[in-house]
Amino acid sequence: KGLIFRPAEREALFRKELKAAMEESLAILVRESKAKAPFLTGGLRRSITSKIKTTNSSISGRVFPEMGIPALPLEEGARPHFPPSEPLQLWVRRRFRLRNIRDIERIAFLVQRTLARRGLRARKWLLSALKAKEKIIEGIFSKAGFQLVKKIV
């Protein structure tokens, strides 16, 4: 093909190849993140998505749960705190499949007290998904680099 000397063509080719590599990498990370996510109702797993951001000088990708703030303590943990009872009661009812409101309230209180004493340990499920697929993602970007060299030279 010959050398591509026009900067605009080179830049468009770089963006195209790197975006394709990023899309492939993010798809792999989304699948792995969904597999490693804590599961109760499936809402967290269903909310995991990805986004690509491009600027003039860079391209970056992000995998995250769209449900936002409620998922953050599951990934990063939380300091000791006394959480509200209502969400915990819903969690207790679903987690233990209970119907008796007194049992639900009692267990929710015990969970509140435990969180107030110990906090919530970090699960790091997003980080473990990245570590599990790190070599594959490196390979995808290496392949993209070789493809660029073949197309430019």
Side-chain angles (χ1 to χ4, degrees):
K1 247 183 170 180
L3 291 173
I4 298 177
F5 288 108
R6 288 187 223 118
E9 286 180 31
R10 270 197 318 262
E11 189 174 317
L13 185 61
F14 272 67
R15 284 188 188 284
K16 180 182 171 190
E17 289 293 328
L18 290 176
K19 187 174 181 187
M22 184 64 74
E23 287 171 348
E24 184 180 352
S25 298
L26 290 177
I28 290 168
L29 281 175
V30 165
R31 276 194 307 274
E32 186 69 14
S33 296
K34 286 181 177 185
K36 291 186 176 287
F39 183 81
L40 180 59
T41 63
L44 177 61
R45 287 183 180 178
R46 283 190 302 275
S47 78
I48 296 172
T49 188
S50 64
K51 187 177 276 188
I52 294 177
K53 182 180 177 183
T54 58
T55 65
N56 288 339
S57 60
S58 69
I59 183 168
S60 61
R62 190 173 152 228
V63 173
F64 59 97
E66 284 184 318
M67 72 186 319
I69 291 174
L72 189 61
L74 292 173
E75 173 68 14
E76 297 180 357
R79 291 182 182 170
H81 66 290
F82 202 81
S85 180
E86 291 79 20
L88 283 177
Q89 287 179 19
L90 176 63
W91 178 81
V92 166
R93 190 173 52 121
R94 289 178 174 171
R95 174 74 171 88
F96 300 107
R97 295 186 175 108
L98 296 175
R99 297 273 181 240
N100 184 325
I101 190 69
R102 306 268 293 157
D103 291 341
I104 293 170
E105 288 173 348
R106 194 169 341 151
I107 294 170
F109 174 74
L110 292 173
V111 172
Q112 280 179 307
R113 195 171 64 187
T114 301
L115 289 172
R117 289 180 181 164
R118 298 185 198 159
L120 184 67
R121 78 174 163 82
R123 301 271 181 102
K124 300 290 183 188
W125 49 276
L126 286 169
L127 184 60
S128 70
L130 176 61
K131 286 182 178 179
K133 299 299 179 180
E134 192 172 23
K135 296 293 182 194
I136 292 170
I137 291 168
E138 287 175 3
I140 290 168
F141 280 96
S142 292
K143 181 181 168 189
F146 286 122
Q147 294 293 338
L148 279 168
V149 169
K150 282 172 41 177
K151 289 179 181 179
I152 289 175
V153 179

